[in-house]
Amino acid sequence: MTTVQELRRQLGHRVLTDPADLARYSADASRAIPEGLPAAILAARSTADVVAGVQWAARHQVPVSVRGAGTGLAGGAVAYEGGLVISLALMDAIPCIDPDNRLAQVQAGVVTADLDAAAAEYGLMYAPDPASYRQSTIGGNIATNAGGLRCVKYGVTSDSVAGLEVVLANGDVISTGAKTRKNVAGYDLTSLFVGSEGTLGIVTGATLRLHPRPAGKTVTFRATFPSAASAGKAVTAIMGSSVVPDVMELMDRASVRIVEQFHPTGLSTDGAAILVGQFISPTSEADAAVAARLCTRAGATDVEQADGDILLEARRVSGKALDARGLRASSDVAVPISRLAEMFLALEQIGSANNVEIPTFAHAGDGNLHPSVVIGDESPEAYAEAERILDLITDQAILLGGTISGEHGIGSLKVGSLSKQLEPATLAAHRLVKSAFDPLGILTPGRGV
C-alpha cells in the first residue's frame, strides 16, 4: 500500500483504490476470471499520466493491464492480483479531423462510433465497425486489430491506422508511422503494435485513415440455404466474382432460431443457414442481383432483396440474442474463404458427435466464424466440457489453414493454444520481440504471446 500511496501522491484522484472500483475494473466482457483484485486503478487523462503509471510499475515491478471500455472477449484486459490497471477511457478527445488528407487524430479512449459520427460531418467514415462499436474504444480496437461487418470491403483496424503514439515499458513515448500515404522510413512499428494486445507498449493516441462515406442506394439481399455448406459455397462464389459487398454475414439454423426466440425479426427457421449481404454504391442493385444469382446456383431455396438495412436486422442482434439465451462459451476462428463450407460442415459434425448445440454466425466475406457452445449449467465441469469442444473447433480451423483468432485476440483465454498455430521458432521470435520492448515483463505478462 505504501507504493500505491506514492503513485497517488503523484497523480492524486486519478488513482483509485476503493474496493468497488477495483472490482469494477478487474474483468472484461470475456469469460476470463480475474485471479484477484489489482492494487490500484489509474484513470488516465493524458499520456503523461500513463507515463507516470508505467514508470511506477517498472520501479516496483508491478504487472500492468490496460483497459478501454472492457468489451474485449479474450480476457486481455483482466486485472492482475496486486497489479495496476491503466484505464484509457477518459482519454477520449478527437483533436483533429483532416478531410483533405482523410485522416483523424484521436486519443485511445475515443469510442469507435463517436469517431465515425465525427467523420460523417465531413462526408467521411471510419470503416472498422466491431459489433461493440457503440462501446468499444479505438485503443482497444488497435490492441486486438478488431474487425467487424464492414471489414469485408474496407479491411480490419490495421488497414486504417497510419500512425500511433505509444508509451513503452520504460516510460518513453514514441511516435510511429506518418500522415503520408507512402512511408518506408525505418521498421514498420505501427503494424507491430497493432494487434499486440498491450504486450509491447500502451497505445495512447492514433492517426487513422478515413474513407469517403458510400454514395448510392443501399441494397441488401438475404438467401436461405438447405445446408451451411451450400451457403459457404455461395460465399466463395460471390467473393470470387466481380462484385464487392460492403457486408457479407452468415447465420446457421441454431443462431436463427435463437434470434427469433429472443428478438423476433420474421426470419424463417426452415433453412439450415441464412446469408445476408449488402451493397452501397451507384451499382448496388445490379451487384445485389449478381450475388442473388450466385446464391441460387449454389443451392439457395429462397432469395429476397430490399432497400436499406431491414434484412440485416437479425444479424445485428444475433450477439445479444445469444447472450439472452443464457450460458455459452464463444470462439473466434477464421479460415480461408474457400474452406468456409468445410468449416461449417465440421461444426455440424463436432456438434453431432458431442451431442451439443453450436450456434454459429460469421463474417462470411472474410472467413471469420463465431461458434458458441451452449452450456447447461455453471458448474466447472460444464465449462470444462465447453472448452474441450472449443478446442476441437480451433483444431479444425488450423487443419483447414486458418487461425485461432480472427479479431478478438489471444488474451488470456487462447494463449495456451498459440503453439498449435505457431511453430517453436516462430513463437521464440515473438518472445524475443516481447523481451526487447519489455525486458522486465510488466506489460500484460502471460498474455498475447
Side-chain angles (χ1 to χ4, degrees):
M1 185 57 67
T2 302
T3 58
V4 173
Q5 289 172 350
E6 171 193 327
L7 184 63
R8 176 172 281 163
R9 281 195 297 271
Q10 185 175 2
L11 296 176
H13 66 277
R14 295 186 290 284
V15 178
L16 312 176
T17 56
D18 184 274
D21 291 323
L22 298 181
R24 182 161 59 95
Y25 284 89
S26 288
D28 57 17
S30 74
R31 60 188 182 277
I33 300 173
E35 297 175 357
L37 292 179
I41 313 298
L42 170 55
R45 291 183 176 273
S46 67
T47 300
D49 290 347
V50 177
V51 169
V54 168
Q55 289 177 335
W56 172 84
R59 283 197 302 273
H60 301 286
Q61 297 196 28
V62 172
V64 174
S65 56
V66 189
R67 180 187 173 90
T71 60
L73 296 172
V78 171
Y80 296 93
E81 184 173 11
L84 175 67
V85 175
I86 297 182
S87 170
L88 305 176
L90 297 178
M91 294 180 60
D92 58 358
I94 304 176
C96 176
I97 300 285
D98 178 359
D100 292 336
N101 292 302
R102 295 179 184 169
L103 295 172
Q105 194 171 347
V106 305
Q107 288 185 306
V110 170
V111 172
T112 311
D114 291 346
L115 171 59
D116 191 38
E121 296 181 13
Y122 299 88
L124 301 171
M125 75 171 182
Y126 178 65
D129 63 333
S132 59
Y133 77 105
R134 289 191 178 93
Q135 297 86 34
S136 64
T137 61
I138 293 297
N141 293 172
I142 290 170
T144 59
N145 196 14
L149 273 66
R150 291 195 294 226
C151 71
V152 61
K153 183 172 185 177
Y154 296 99
V156 293
T157 296
S158 60
D159 296 298
S160 291
V161 179
L164 298 171
E165 177 186 78
V166 183
V167 177
L168 300 181
N170 63 358
D172 286 348
V173 180
I174 66 170
S175 297
T176 74
K179 294 181 179 180
T180 54
R181 295 299 299 180
K182 296 179 179 179
N183 173 39
V184 291
Y187 295 124
D188 186 2
L189 295 181
T190 303
S191 295
L192 181 62
F193 283 108
V194 176
S196 64
E197 302 186 54
T199 61
L200 303 181
I202 300 174
V203 173
T204 52
T207 301
L208 303 172
R209 297 189 177 96
L210 305 175
H211 293 269
R213 270 194 124 65
K217 181 183 286 188
T218 298
V219 179
T220 306
F221 75 88
R222 187 164 67 196
T224 303
F225 291 85
S227 69
S230 60
K233 291 178 182 176
V235 172
T236 301
I238 293 169
M239 297 309 298
S241 74
S242 60
V243 300
V244 181
D246 290 67
V247 174
M248 178 75 75
E249 299 290 308
L250 195 155
M251 301 169 62
D252 69 358
R253 179 188 284 115
S255 293
V256 171
R257 189 168 60 245
I258 290 170
V259 166
E260 289 307 298
Q261 181 180 357
F262 290 95
H263 296 274
T265 64
L267 276 183
S268 168
T269 57
D270 294 337
I274 289 179
L275 180 65
V276 185
Q278 186 175 84
F279 297 86
I280 310 173
S281 76
T283 61
S284 56
E285 290 182 317
D287 292 345
V290 170
R293 285 196 299 272
L294 293 172
C295 286
T296 300
R297 289 178 192 171
T301 56
D302 179 62
V303 182
E304 55 185 320
Q305 188 171 307
D307 295 347
D309 276 345
I310 187 168
L311 297 182
L312 264 177
E313 182 182 357
R315 172 60 185 89
R316 292 195 184 280
V317 302
S318 57
K320 292 180 180 178
L322 285 168
D323 289 339
R325 163 66 173 77
L327 300 173
R328 68 183 177 109
S330 61
S331 185
D332 161 45
V333 296
V335 297
I337 295 170
S338 63
R339 312 300 294 272
L340 194 62
E342 294 173 76
M343 187 65 198
F344 269 100
L345 181 60
L347 289 171
E348 292 176 5
Q349 293 170 343
I350 291 171
S352 177
N354 292 276
N355 194 30
V356 67
E357 189 175 43
I358 308 178
T360 302
F361 58 90
H363 305 306
D366 52 40
N368 189 190
L369 304 94
H370 298 298
S372 294
V373 177
V374 176
I375 301 172
D377 57 64
E378 295 190 66
S379 68
E381 293 78 13
Y383 274 98
E385 175 64 6
E387 295 293 344
R388 184 186 71 81
I389 294 169
L390 291 180
D391 282 344
L392 295 177
I393 293 170
T394 298
D395 292 345
Q396 184 62 38
I398 294 172
L399 186 64
L400 293 175
T403 177
I404 65 176
S405 178
E407 61 184 2
H408 292 168
I410 300 301
S412 57
L413 290 179
K414 288 195 172 184
V415 68
S417 298
L418 264 180
S419 60
K420 295 181 178 181
Q421 181 172 336
L422 304 180
E423 60 188 13
T426 305
L427 264 177
H430 279 71
R431 288 165 182 158
L432 278 174
V433 173
K434 166 68 172 172
S435 62
F437 278 93
D438 181 20
L440 296 177
I442 62 167
L443 297 181
T444 319
R447 298 174 191 167
V449 295

